[in-house]
Amino acid sequence: MDAYDVQDAIDRWTIRYPPGAARRTARPPIAHAQGPIIHDTAGARYLDFGSNPTGAILGHNHPRYIEAVRRRLHTVGDDTFLDQDALLLHCRLGEILTPPLQKSLLVPHGDAALRVAAGMARAVTGGADIIAVSATHDGAVCFTRPATAASHPGNLPVTGVSEAHGTAGVCPDPAQCACGAQGGLQPCPWAAFEATVAACERRPAALLMKSFAGGAFGAGAGWAPVLRRLCHQYGMLLIVDETATGYGRTGRMWGHQHDDVVPDILIASARFGAGQSIDVVCTAPDIAEQVRACDNGVLDLAWHDPVACIAAVTTIDIVREEELVSRAAAIGEYLKTRLGTMAADKPMIAAVHGRGAMYAIELSAGWAAGNHVHQLGQEVVQACRDKGLLLREPAGDDSDRIVRVAPPMVSTETQLDEGLDILDRVLRDIAAAPRASAASRPGAREPGQHQLS
């Protein structure tokens, strides 16, 4: 399709994005891609540092991956036969999971994994509610209690509104809590946990721990082991969602390994490229047996795509054989140094966070008076794209001032330098543009004031 055909198809046959998102439909189609590099049909070349989640692990069109998927397409799939590739995926997962995690259930990509994990927790504990917890970049914790209707196994496990935050209450025992180790600089996760449990109308079955944008789960505050201990004291299970952090992206095979916790249930989700994606729910043998004996229907959600299975198997094999976990750790050290240097002389950067091949720049909310921080994030991403670097669009919520830098784990140092040089130039250009004076910027930092997690 030439440019005229593309625009004609958009105008005649697609539902257009809102005016503020018109740039998405203006992009030319992809012509070809390899690793972190994408070429479009207009001849432009880009480095993909996170705009397309399917390239987060292997980049685009890894030769071994493409060949494995092509071979699988020639094999007939039928539910009346055992699927060898599905069994291989169970084996591979068993080899890379953190003990005692061993058993796995394959489910389609989407919300099925959360439904299964919640159903497992309810079957084992007899509880109902599922509490979600996530970290902010400064180490504070935020809990979410689900609405009453969400407690039914057929609904999503977490759909409610924020009920309790890390500022709730006084720490029961600072000597045993992460907030005590921080010298009172961080809100107390223990007190916030107890306040959230007390707000639940029915006994909670599990705590769902989510990663934060720049890395894994604890944000450096050490609260993950505290919450793990509290879960078991309250008869709850710990569910860890590794959708964003699994398969080596943080510099370890699983993000929870940074925070010295082992979940009771692990959700691993990945989009491996070429449209292939699959989710898996993993747990220990004793929990798996209790769920099987309970027969509450949660296991009926199991289903898999055979092609996605071989895609996942091949991806895990490549990650292990090409030592991409250690490669991601090395990328993390490089990003930490380069992004830290950028932050040292740019007051618009409030902090830098991350692990492995997952880093995030937090823009200062008060850097430019009258300039909405979300607009600033969009400006950075758009300017980088115009210069050939693709970054993930900032979200329209509390994380809208986060610019994510997440190169594929196969990226070379030359490619990292190219992408980071573009980002550095863009930040310098934006800083040099006429804006409010530094004296009028609330909370403006002196050069060199930056934070690395």
Side-chain angles (χ1 to χ4, degrees):
M1 299 176 72
D2 59 23
Y4 175 82
D5 292 332
V6 169
Q7 192 60 51
D8 181 63
I10 291 172
D11 292 339
R12 295 182 63 187
W13 309 117
T14 69
I15 299 175
R16 301 296 296 272
Y17 284 97
R23 297 189 191 98
R24 299 183 182 181
T25 58
R27 299 176 185 175
I30 293 176
H32 57 92
Q34 185 72 52
I37 299 174
I38 294 176
H39 295 265
D40 67 26
T41 55
R45 173 186 177 276
Y46 307 88
L47 279 172
D48 187 356
F49 276 21
S51 71
N52 190 340
T54 63
I57 300 175
L58 303 181
H60 303 285
N61 296 322
H62 191 289
R64 285 181 58 186
Y65 175 94
I66 296 299
E67 180 57 30
V69 171
R70 181 183 292 114
R71 285 199 310 268
R72 187 61 180 84
L73 290 173
H74 289 284
T75 304
V76 176
D78 193 305
D79 289 344
T80 60
F81 294 87
L82 283 175
D83 186 346
Q84 177 174 281
D85 295 319
L87 293 176
L88 281 175
L89 179 53
H90 286 293
C91 293
R92 292 294 189 277
L93 289 167
E95 293 167 359
I96 64 175
L97 287 170
T98 308
L101 300 176
Q102 179 182 344
K103 300 286 189 175
S104 54
L105 186 73
L106 306 179
V107 297
H109 186 69
D111 60 28
L114 285 175
R115 294 175 186 266
V116 169
M120 285 182 170
R122 290 171 179 135
V124 171
T125 66
D129 285 348
I130 308 295
I131 300 171
V133 59
S134 57
T136 58
H137 294 296
D138 60 4
V141 294
C142 176
F143 292 88
T144 304
R145 183 177 63 85
T148 303
S151 299
H152 190 278
N155 294 323
L156 285 176
V158 178
T159 59
V161 297
S162 180
E163 293 284 349
H165 297 271
T167 56
V170 179
C171 180
D173 187 357
Q176 299 294 321
C177 185
C179 70
Q182 299 291 324
L185 298 178
Q186 300 291 354
C188 176
W190 189 334
F193 176 86
E194 292 189 333
T196 309
V197 171
C200 290
E201 297 176 6
R202 291 180 287 181
R203 184 167 70 86
L207 180 72
L208 172 64
M209 189 177 291
K210 300 180 179 181
S211 61
F212 68 95
F217 302 90
W223 55 262
V226 174
L227 295 180
R228 159 92 180 171
R229 185 178 73 245
L230 290 172
C231 272
H232 290 183
Q233 289 178 2
Y234 277 81
M236 300 163 58
L237 298 188
L238 176 63
I239 304 171
V240 169
D241 186 350
E242 294 267 10
T243 297
T245 52
Y247 303 104
R249 293 187 65 194
T250 65
R252 295 193 181 182
M253 185 61 75
W254 304 106
H256 65 262
Q257 293 172 336
H258 290 280
D259 296 301
D260 196 27
V261 295
V262 180
D264 299 298
I265 300 173
L266 172 73
I267 296 173
S269 174
R271 295 160 60 185
F272 298 110
Q276 303 306 317
S277 58
I278 194 168
D279 292 359
V280 59
V281 181
C282 309
T283 191
D286 59 330
I287 294 177
E289 183 58 29
Q290 292 180 65
V291 173
R292 189 186 70 85
C294 177
D295 192 23
N296 64 351
V298 68
L299 301 182
D300 295 337
L301 293 173
W303 182 86
H304 68 273
D305 179 345
V307 179
C309 286
I310 194 59
V313 169
T314 305
T315 298
I316 293 172
D317 288 345
I318 293 172
V319 167
R320 298 171 75 185
E321 294 167 17
E322 297 186 8
E323 299 182 345
L324 295 186
V325 177
S326 59
R327 174 61 187 160
I331 289 174
E333 291 301 312
Y334 198 73
L335 291 176
K336 178 179 180 180
T337 300
R338 285 291 310 268
L339 295 176
T341 301
M342 290 184 202
D345 62 356
K346 296 177 179 63
M348 73 173 65
I349 300 178
V352 175
H353 316 271
R355 288 185 174 103
M358 298 179 63
Y359 263 77
I361 294 173
E362 183 179 350
L363 301 175
S364 175
W367 176 72
N371 184 66
H372 194 283
V373 70
H374 178 59
Q375 295 173 340
L376 180 60
Q378 292 283 4
E379 185 178 351
V380 171
V381 171
Q382 173 65 18
C384 285
R385 185 174 76 87
D386 293 342
K387 294 182 181 298
L389 176 64
L390 301 179
L391 301 174
R392 182 177 171 183
E393 299 264 354
D397 53 22
D398 291 341
S399 63
D400 59 5
R401 60 195 178 102
I402 303 300
V403 176
R404 293 170 176 81
V405 182
M409 294 161 60
V410 295
S411 301
T412 66
E413 188 169 312
T414 299
Q415 292 164 341
L416 293 174
D417 278 333
E418 180 185 351
L420 293 173
D421 286 346
I422 292 173
L423 177 60
D424 191 34
R425 289 198 303 272
V426 165
L427 293 174
R428 289 185 183 279
D429 290 346
I430 293 176
R435 296 178 188 268
S437 66
S440 67
R441 296 198 295 264
R445 298 178 298 107
E446 294 296 326
Q449 285 184 283
H450 64 283
Q451 172 188 348
L452 285 168
S453 62

